[in-house]
Amino acid sequence: MLIKTYGAAVQGIDAIVVTIEVVAEKGVSFSLVGMADTAVKESHERVVSAMTQTGYSWPRRRVVVNLSPADVRKEGAAYDLPIAMGILAASEQITCSHPLESYMLMGELSLDGSVLPIRGVLPMAIKARQLGFKGMIVPQANVSEAAVVNNLEVYGVSSLRQVTDFFTGKGTLEPTVVNTREEFARASDIFDCDFSEVKGQEGVKRAFEVASAGGHNLLLVGPPGSGKSMMAKRIPTILPPLSLAEALETTKIHSVAGRLKSGARLMTSRPYRSPHHTISPVALVGGGTNPVPGEISLAHNGVLFMDEFPEFSRQVLEVMRQPLEDRHITVARAKYSIDYPAGFMLVASMNPCPCGYYNHPTKECTCSAGAVQKYLNRISGPLLDRIDLQVEIFPVPFDSLVDKTPGESSAEIRRRVVNARRIQAQRFAKERNVHCNAQMNHRLLSQHARLDKEGTELLRETMSRLDMSARAYDRILKVARTIADLDYATRESFDPDSTALLAEAAEAPILTDHLYEALAYRSLDRASWGQSASKLPF
């Protein structure tokens, strides 16, 4: 007897349907075909034990299981449940009152018949709804994750017995219902830190605001204890809230990587990833024997913080150059090619030299001659060019540390950032996959970042004196465009709910003052680092 059940395989962060065909006929043998990895092939032992513990028996027949399409590699133990149900139905040990072909089944079986959690449930549920399945049966630990997909009956089970009773009509299952939009709208970002706790450093906080408003990459250079890591941890508190589409995409990535906690639903806060400097290139960009998203993909729609930037290996730093430009990473291997999104905001920090006290106002640097430039050279010029804001940070004076006056809160900064992003949303409304100034290409720069004669002369003179690259030119214009947006977003006459004012602000010119500030954020350009500020023409 031929029986078909349905599961799914994850490729990248999306899923494809896998048809599990089971035939039970005369003979005594077991075959599993369809490009299955070791974990799938080992399902035989788990299924036999689970069936026995549930009160069924392994059929004394020739059983053939085919996983189709045969040219797609199937990995993991999540196919245990559909294989077990297919064998039970094909051997006529159960008679289904609910058609198996109307449901997608996924789950790992324990030897005692328990259904264990799996990863990648959210993209599987999205695919099930797209293809018109009536429902989906998943492990109880994954049911909240799958239930965020509307218009799909999602059932959570904890044992094989529950599944067989449901299909034979001996028991019932209640679908889990989650009102995604209502829950997402009700959810609010709750943080255990705030920019109001940061003493002093007003100039650096302004750089964080500019970076957040335009989605720009940021590098902080300063001595130990100056507050680099402290402020970096607070940057998610001033970023705009996730949209529903961004939340779904971010949750899919973390689901595929197996990073969602049991019972988790939608991610409502932007991710913040902070890998250690000993991380490998594969762990950073993704891939591996069983490919999973790397840190740059887990930081998609959020922040990737890299502390002690020069201490990362040269190979790790260089593999980031392409995803920083393209906002996605293609992991190509001999037998497969997978595309992962990588639209992250890079925030990095570093000491100015090996001892950490170069340019320190009170402590003397003990590094040898040339050590400062050698330390900076651990970061290649092409990578440094891709960092829009390069900011020096100095220790906080004692008077600022003991000052009890609270600083500006994250909520106040976030309000300005959100208003600036609304201007950019108006500007790029007709552009595909462009949502903020940092994502502008050369064509959009020529349209929306034009300079007047005075600004052009200022930029020409500065680039000539500091020997900047063409990429640095683009980055300066993008940052100046963001500063202009923040300027217009904070004017008393500005109304973020007025379409006319948003359109006016979107086409507003970049003033010379905006360009001055953007140029001040290029501290580490090769010709200026470690030299007098007199090289700047202002």
Side-chain angles (χ1 to χ4, degrees), residues 118-272:
I118 59 175
R119 67 184 188 185
V121 167
L122 181 55
M124 296 175 186
I126 293 174
K127 178 59 70 173
R129 183 185 63 181
Q130 289 176 349
L131 296 182
F133 282 90
K134 180 180 179 181
M136 184 175 185
I137 295 179
V138 297
Q140 187 65 47
N142 300 116
V143 67
S144 297
E145 176 188 341
V148 302
V149 179
N150 298 326
N151 303 318
L152 179 72
E153 295 178 4
V154 178
Y155 301 95
V157 296
S158 55
S159 67
L160 178 61
R161 170 61 68 184
Q162 284 183 285
V163 183
T164 57
D165 286 350
F166 171 74
F167 279 103
T168 58
K170 296 179 181 179
T172 59
L173 293 175
E174 290 297 323
T176 301
V177 179
V178 175
N179 189 324
T180 306
R181 295 187 181 277
E182 179 180 328
E183 182 164 304
F184 184 76
R186 186 173 60 249
S188 59
D189 292 333
I190 300 175
F191 303 100
D192 56 1
C193 56
D194 194 277
F195 263 101
S196 62
E197 302 159 353
V198 179
K199 302 295 184 180
Q201 305 292 12
E202 298 303 321
V204 182
K205 286 194 282 187
R206 169 64 177 179
F208 273 97
E209 180 179 341
V210 172
S212 300
H216 302 290
N217 301 320
L218 172 66
L219 174 62
L220 300 173
V221 185
S226 55
K228 302 186 295 294
S229 300
M230 177 188 182
M231 284 188 281
K233 290 178 181 178
R234 284 157 175 76
I235 197 168
T237 68
I238 64 174
L239 287 172
L242 284 169
S243 66
L244 181 56
E246 287 177 328
L248 280 169
E249 185 179 32
T250 304
T251 308
K252 281 173 61 177
I253 296 170
H254 286 251
S255 173
V256 170
R259 299 302 180 95
L260 290 181
K261 296 180 180 178
S262 178
R265 296 181 179 178
L266 271 182
M267 294 180 62
T268 56
S269 299
R270 292 188 180 273
Y272 177 86

Side-chain angles (χ1 to χ4, degrees), residues 67 78 309:
L67 307 180
F309 202 39

Side-chain angles (χ1 to χ4, degrees), residues 172-489:
T172 59
L173 293 175
E174 290 297 323
T176 301
V177 179
V178 175
N179 189 324
T180 306
R181 295 187 181 277
E182 179 180 328
E183 182 164 304
F184 184 76
R186 186 173 60 249
S188 59
D189 292 333
I190 300 175
F191 303 100
D192 56 1
C193 56
D194 194 277
F195 263 101
S196 62
E197 302 159 353
V198 179
K199 302 295 184 180
Q201 305 292 12
E202 298 303 321
V204 182
K205 286 194 282 187
R206 169 64 177 179
F208 273 97
E209 180 179 341
V210 172
S212 300
H216 302 290
N217 301 320
L218 172 66
L219 174 62
L220 300 173
V221 185
S226 55
K228 302 186 295 294
S229 300
M230 177 188 182
M231 284 188 281
K233 290 178 181 178
R234 284 157 175 76
I235 197 168
T237 68
I238 64 174
L239 287 172
L242 284 169
S243 66
L244 181 56
E246 287 177 328
L248 280 169
E249 185 179 32
T250 304
T251 308
K252 281 173 61 177
I253 296 170
H254 286 251
S255 173
V256 170
R259 299 302 180 95
L260 290 181
K261 296 180 180 178
S262 178
R265 296 181 179 178
L266 271 182
M267 294 180 62
T268 56
S269 299
R270 292 188 180 273
Y272 177 86
R273 307 294 301 181
S274 180
H276 192 260
H277 60 77
T278 56
I279 190 173
S280 68
V282 172
L284 185 71
V285 302
T289 305
N290 297 317
V292 294
E295 288 293 328
I296 62 173
S297 295
L298 293 172
H300 181 64
N301 291 324
V303 177
L304 178 70
F305 176 55
M306 303 183 75
D307 199 8
E308 304 296 342
F309 202 39
E311 302 301 328
F312 287 82
S313 73
R314 186 64 172 246
Q315 187 180 6
V316 167
L317 294 178
E318 293 308 301
V319 296
M320 286 201 305
R321 285 163 53 178
Q322 180 263 333
L324 280 172
E325 288 284 346
D326 299 338
R327 303 181 66 81
H328 69 89
I329 181 71
T330 301
V331 179
R333 298 292 185 265
K335 295 183 179 180
Y336 61 85
S337 180
I338 296 176
D339 189 82
Y340 292 122
F344 61 94
M345 177 180 169
L346 174 64
V347 179
S349 68
M350 59 178 285
N351 294 329
C353 65
C355 79
Y357 296 108
Y358 179 75
N359 273 352
H360 195 282
T362 58
K363 295 185 179 181
E364 184 178 353
C365 176
T366 59
C367 298
S368 60
V372 176
Q373 191 63 46
K374 184 178 180 181
Y375 190 70
L376 181 62
N377 285 342
R378 295 185 183 183
I379 308 171
S380 68
L383 179 58
L384 199 59
D385 266 351
R386 287 169 167 81
I387 300 177
D388 305 9
L389 289 85
Q390 305 158 5
V391 181
E392 283 192 82
I393 177 173
F394 297 99
V396 182
F398 180 79
D399 291 342
S400 296
L401 285 175
V402 298
D403 186 5
K404 301 300 182 180
T405 305
E408 190 175 32
S409 69
S410 293
E412 294 171 345
I413 302 174
R414 191 185 213 188
R415 178 180 54 81
R416 297 195 295 268
V417 168
V418 170
N419 286 342
R421 286 288 184 105
R422 294 189 69 175
I423 294 174
Q424 294 165 49
Q426 175 71 27
R427 177 182 298 129
F428 306 125
K430 297 181 180 180
E431 300 294 334
R432 185 180 180 184
N433 297 327
V434 178
H435 308 289
C436 59
N437 290 332
Q439 299 172 4
M440 284 193 290
N441 55 31
H442 188 72
R443 174 180 62 84
L444 293 175
L445 272 175
S446 62
Q447 292 178 11
H448 303 295
R450 294 187 297 269
L451 300 177
D452 58 17
K453 184 176 180 181
E454 182 181 357
T456 302
E457 289 302 318
L458 172 63
L459 189 53
R460 176 185 290 112
E461 185 177 357
T462 304
M463 291 194 65
S464 176
R465 291 193 183 191
L466 302 184
D467 194 23
M468 293 179 175
S469 67
R471 183 178 284 112
Y473 169 82
D474 286 350
R475 302 284 172 171
I476 291 169
L477 288 182
K478 292 177 182 180
V479 173
R481 178 71 269 173
T482 298
I483 295 170
D485 292 342
L486 280 170
D487 184 12
Y488 285 94

